[in-house]
Amino acid sequence: MKRIETALISVYNKEGLDEIVLHLHKSGVKIYSTGGTHDFILALGIKSIAIESLTEYPSILGGRVKTLHPKVFGGILGRRNLPEDVEQMEQYGIPPFDLVVVDLYPFEETVRQTTESKDIIEKIDIGGISLIRAAAKNFAEVLVVPSADYYKDLLSLLNKKDDQTSLDDRARFASYGFAVSSHYDTAIFDWMNKGYSEAFRKSSNQPTSLRYGENPQQQGIYFGKLEDIFEKLHGKELSYNNLLDLDAGMSLLAEFDEPTFAILKHNNACGLACRSQLSQAYADALAGDPVSAFGGVLLCNQPVDEETATAVNQLFFEIIAAPDFEINALQLLRSKKNRVILRLRDFDFPEKQFKSVLNGILQQDRDSKSESVSDFKLVTSKKPDARQFDDLVFANKVAKHTRSNAIVLAKNKQLVGSGIGQTSRVDALKQCIAKARENEFVLEGAVLASDAFFPFSDSVQLAAEAGIAAVVQPGGSVRDQESIDACNKLGVSMVFTGTRHFKH
């Protein structure tokens, strides 16, 4: 055990610091401090030695240089078990520091608040980050407190162990120190890097423990700020699979401006409809596959009214997420204890996506391309009518967010069948048609969307036999002409988008 006799304090956030300072003073610890921290301690009526008194050098360059001095870093890095280090510290009048308390300039907060480079740059902490790294490196001798987030932990440790620390205590706080410093540097890198470097850097200090991962035998943790995405109004804690469904559902909903209701199951839409009234959008989304909707995740892009909530309340589901809820609707939906109710915030998805693969990370740009009628290239002699064009746009958006190989059938802006995650495109279509017929949809006049090209004309033949009137697909197969010829022969119109939308 090692007793704390000398402390260096240099912090930005002083909330809660008074308790630490009062404790150290009561315990007879000699306190050194910098700038505003020194003024804060003196205002408490407690003696503190200004760092300038130690270094015999003033704070210079507008405060950019205060602690970067051998008398400061020698006192942190000196190895007390090495006679030559102790001798040099005595020779140059360097006091040993047992405790270093730091809180860095709020760089990330500044980036959120302004785009002024000058202001952001001034919030890149130099002295503080150096103090943290030095103290964490020499954890054999020094206890480092790298952030205001650990003030309470420090106070608890001081009270529990009577101002003494073990090697394990110091190692634990050193790990906090390197976590803080690495996260801080990553934030600076993310801001500075305008495509100059392809290095991969991601960091999060907001771990949320989940009930489990995909399965109960797997641990699950979410790193990120869920509070920036939604407000949880009711229900149990979210699971790993819940978050995957929410991500898929919110990505899909972002494609639509008109009132839209989506029902998600295993990251795929099993129901989706656009209508002028939200209650009707829900009814038609549910009709798309009422069996699969059981236990699903519900999302919509309009506030939930009482009429919609009354209908929704009859279904067993895990989550409902919407921009808002009328008071009576919210009260009704809260009738089930475990049902999760989320109020969605305005949120823009990151431009980059990441996935762990093998022993590394895959990175790609988000698929932000979404086709409209103007992007369609008519390749058949027959042209879709106005309603079919609207349905083709609708179906193409759904197919983009459906697991490959994906085929989607739609009619009157309602999802009427999905072929999801099949190893062949024709099998996806067979599944799609079977699902639509199971739910008693009339496919005459419906449209089909495919996330990738048809390798053969067999899908066109099967679609025409089912009554499909129009097809949208990327095109690009060496056998495209065979599919085009089949469409012309069978009286089916087809458009190409030129863009594939695989999703795995």
Side-chain angles (χ1 to χ4, degrees):
M1 299 292 286
K2 179 176 176 58
R3 179 167 296 280
I4 296 172
E5 297 180 353
T6 310
L8 169 60
I9 307 177
S10 180
V11 302
Y12 180 87
N13 185 351
K14 300 169 183 64
E15 185 176 350
L17 182 65
D18 52 344
E19 293 183 74
I20 294 171
V21 171
L22 289 167
H23 181 102
L24 294 174
H25 174 69
K26 183 179 178 181
S27 299
V29 175
K30 182 182 288 188
I31 299 174
Y32 291 81
S33 57
T34 65
T37 305
H38 181 65
D39 295 337
F40 176 85
I41 294 173
L42 292 180
L44 295 173
I46 293 173
K47 182 180 178 181
S48 173
I49 302 171
I51 205 68
E52 293 86 353
S53 300
L54 173 62
T55 62
E56 298 180 344
Y57 220 94
S59 173
I60 61 172
L61 306 180
R64 281 188 165 196
V65 180
K66 293 189 287 285
T67 58
L68 298 172
H69 192 281
K71 282 195 172 182
V72 175
F73 283 86
I76 297 172
L77 289 165
R79 292 161 291 188
R80 325 287 164 82
N81 63 332
L82 291 184
E84 54 267 38
D85 279 17
V86 174
E87 182 180 342
Q88 285 186 327
M89 291 172 74
E90 292 174 352
Q91 178 183 354
Y92 294 108
I94 299 174
F97 294 112
D98 305 312
L99 171 66
V100 175
V101 183
V102 179
D103 184 72
L104 300 170
Y105 290 156
F107 177 81
E108 290 180 282
E109 183 180 334
T110 304
V111 170
R112 286 192 293 268
Q113 293 176 348
T114 183
T115 58
E116 288 291 333
S117 294
K118 177 173 64 68
D119 295 334
I120 294 171
I121 288 169
E122 287 309 310
K123 286 299 185 287
I124 298 177
D125 206 311
I126 301 300
I129 204 82
S130 301
L131 292 173
I132 290 172
R133 290 179 62 84
K137 174 178 180 176
N138 200 24
F139 69 89
E141 307 286 355
V142 183
L143 178 72
V144 61
V145 180
S147 163
D149 293 337
Y150 300 103
Y151 287 175
K152 289 184 178 179
D153 289 344
L154 170 63
L155 198 59
S156 174
L157 181 65
L158 295 175
N159 285 319
K160 182 179 179 180
K161 295 193 173 181
D162 192 26
D163 306 320
Q164 297 185 85
T165 64
S166 66
L167 181 63
D168 185 66
D169 294 329
R170 298 191 295 276
R172 175 164 57 93
F173 275 81
S175 73
Y176 300 157
F178 286 117
V180 168
S181 67
S182 62
H183 178 79
Y184 197 79
D185 285 341
T186 296
I188 296 169
F189 169 78
D190 286 344
W191 177 74
M192 291 287 293
N193 185 29
K194 311 298 182 185
Y196 306 132
S197 171
E198 294 183 353
F200 175 77
R201 300 284 188 277
K202 284 296 170 186
S203 177
S204 173
N205 284 334
Q206 284 83 30
T208 300
S209 294
L210 306 174
R211 295 200 301 274
Y212 46 78
E214 280 189 282
N215 301 291
Q217 70 270 21
Q218 297 168 271
Q219 182 185 14
I221 300 175
Y222 176 79
F223 290 94
K225 297 181 179 180
L226 291 174
E227 64 272 17
D228 290 348
I229 305 170
F230 52 72
E231 176 187 2
K232 186 157 82 75
L233 303 178
H234 182 75
K236 62 184 178 181
E237 294 303 313
L238 293 168
S239 72
Y240 182 100
N241 294 327
N242 290 157
L243 294 178
L244 291 177
D245 281 330
L246 285 169
D247 179 80
M250 291 176 66
S251 296
L252 173 59
L253 269 188
E255 301 278 359
F256 299 95
D257 295 321
E258 57 193 305
T260 304
F261 209 106
I263 303 174
L264 272 286
K265 200 73 174 286
H266 295 291
N267 311 155
N268 296 286
C270 60
L272 185 82
C274 298
R275 295 292 182 263
S276 59
Q277 298 294 321
L278 189 65
S279 58
Q280 190 60 52
Y282 167 70
D284 290 344
L286 179 63
D289 191 349
V291 173
S292 296
F294 182 86
V297 171
L298 281 52
L299 303 98
C300 58
N301 60 2
Q302 302 289 316
V304 175
D305 54 33
E306 187 174 2
E307 181 181 359
T308 304
T310 300
V312 165
N313 199 47
Q314 299 174 43
L315 176 72
F316 170 74
F317 62 91
E318 289 210 355
I319 299 172
I320 183 167
D324 209 347
F325 299 84
E326 290 183 359
I327 294 175
N328 290 342
L330 185 59
Q331 184 176 356
L332 184 62
L333 292 170
R334 279 175 166 160
S335 61
K336 304 293 184 182
K337 181 178 69 172
N338 290 329
R339 177 185 289 166
V340 178
I341 304 174
L342 305 176
R343 179 185 285 129
L344 299 174
R345 304 187 192 277
D346 290 334
F347 170 73
D348 294 323
F349 281 97
E351 295 179 1
K352 301 292 183 182
Q353 294 178 311
F354 305 94
K355 182 181 289 187
S356 61
V357 173
L358 301 175
N359 63 347
I361 302 290
L362 285 175
Q363 173 184 301
Q364 68 171 353
D365 297 331
R366 177 173 290 277
D367 185 0
S368 58
K369 184 170 175 52
S370 186
E371 292 76 35
S372 63
V373 173
S374 63
D375 297 304
F376 292 167
K377 177 185 176 183
L378 181 65
V379 294
T380 54
S381 54
K382 185 176 182 180
K383 180 181 179 180
D385 61 30
R387 180 193 63 78
Q388 290 168 353
F389 267 125
D390 285 345
D391 281 346
L392 288 169
V393 172
F394 172 93
N396 193 54
K397 289 177 178 179
V398 180
K400 172 185 171 182
H401 295 273
T402 303
R403 297 290 178 186
S404 302
N405 285 314
I407 296 287
V408 165
L409 300 181
K411 188 175 182 179
N412 298 320
K413 294 186 179 179
Q414 179 186 18
L415 177 63
V416 299
S418 296
I420 300 168
Q422 298 302 301
T423 52
S424 77
R425 197 151 299 279
V426 72
D427 282 343
L429 179 54
K430 289 176 181 177
Q431 181 192 59
C432 206
I433 293 170
K435 179 65 72 171
R437 288 173 173 164
E438 178 185 325
N439 290 307
E440 301 182 351
F441 284 106
V442 176
L443 293 180
E444 202 71 36
V447 306
L448 178 157
S450 174
D451 64 340
F453 63 66
F454 292 135
F456 304 101
S457 61
D458 52 356
S459 292
V460 172
Q461 179 72 38
L462 189 61
E465 291 172 359
I468 303 302
V471 174
V472 57
Q473 60 136 318
S477 168
V478 294
R479 296 175 178 267
D480 275 347
Q481 193 58 48
E482 292 181 17
S483 294
I484 294 170
D485 291 343
C487 282
N488 286 329
K489 179 181 177 181
L490 297 166
V492 176
S493 58
M494 185 161 66
V495 297
F496 285 179
T497 65
T499 302
R500 189 183 75 185
H501 290 296
F502 271 166
K503 185 182 180 186
H504 297 106

